[in-house]
Amino acid sequence: MLVALATAGVASAQNTPNFDFASSLRFKGGIGVIPVTGVAANGTVNLNVVRGVSPAGPWRIAALKAEVGTDGHIRVEGRGLLLAAGNGIGTNGGASVHASLFCGPAATATEHDSTLTGVALAADGDFRIDDVLTPAPPTPCDTPVLLIRNGGGVWFATGIPDLEEGRY
């Protein structure tokens, strides 16, 4: 019984990213993109544009954890970023991703991008980004929004700010 519990604990720990550098900002959990926020009475489609970034088609993400260091170093681990509609549903769509952090209110937010052009999604939609944001974000980053994007610039998922530890 103890062996079973120890094995389960190790497996669980392996599924949860563990970052070990001082960070100014953390994200825990993710939300996949829902591309449309509604349709007006006249038939006009309202796209889910966030901080000026257009949405991709429907995607889902099972888990996301990210940390941004005070020097702009960013580490992101995502699990299960997969298409949520169409004939490619349940696949990674051959996509590569990078991270963009926005600081400040929606109308005046500043964008800070990872320098990598893209990290390929694994077949199961898992990915890791270990990079530096340019320019380095301010400390603190007010009203942070972390978007996971492709090379074309559309967003696939967003991180949920981790408020549990009193960091924002």
Side-chain angles (χ1 to χ4, degrees), residues 95-123:
S96 293
V97 295
H98 71 277
S100 294
L101 176 68
F102 294 83
C103 298
T108 59
T110 57
E111 182 175 350
H112 311 273
D113 285 315
S114 58
T115 58
L116 294 173
T117 56
V119 173
L121 296 177

Side-chain angles (χ1 to χ4, degrees), residues 6-150:
T7 303
V10 168
S12 175
Q14 289 174 346
N15 288 333
T16 304
N18 184 17
F19 301 125
D20 59 357
F21 66 100
S23 66
S24 62
L25 187 58
R26 296 175 189 239
F27 295 86
K28 184 177 179 182
I31 301 168
V33 65
I34 300 170
V36 175
T37 60
V39 179
N42 66 3
T44 302
V45 174
N46 299 317
L47 293 178
N48 190 2
V49 176
V50 175
R51 300 299 196 264
V53 180
S54 294
W59 285 73
R60 58 85 70 189
I61 190 163
L64 184 134
K65 184 169 183 178
E67 290 193 24
V68 180
T70 55
D71 62 354
H73 187 179
I74 184 169
R75 291 184 183 165
V76 182
E77 185 168 327
R79 301 205 186 276
L81 182 58
L82 300 168
L83 281 163
N87 289 331
I89 193 167
T91 71
N92 68 10
S96 293
V97 295
H98 71 277
S100 294
L101 176 68
F102 294 83
C103 298
T108 59
T110 57
E111 182 175 350
H112 311 273
D113 285 315
S114 58
T115 58
L116 294 173
T117 56
V119 173
L121 296 177
D124 61 1
D126 290 358
F127 66 95
R128 287 183 185 195
I129 297 170
D130 188 352
D131 201 10
V132 177
L133 295 172
T134 58
T139 304
C141 171
D142 295 324
T143 59
V145 173
L146 177 67
L147 296 181
I148 304 303
R149 303 167 69 181
N150 74 357

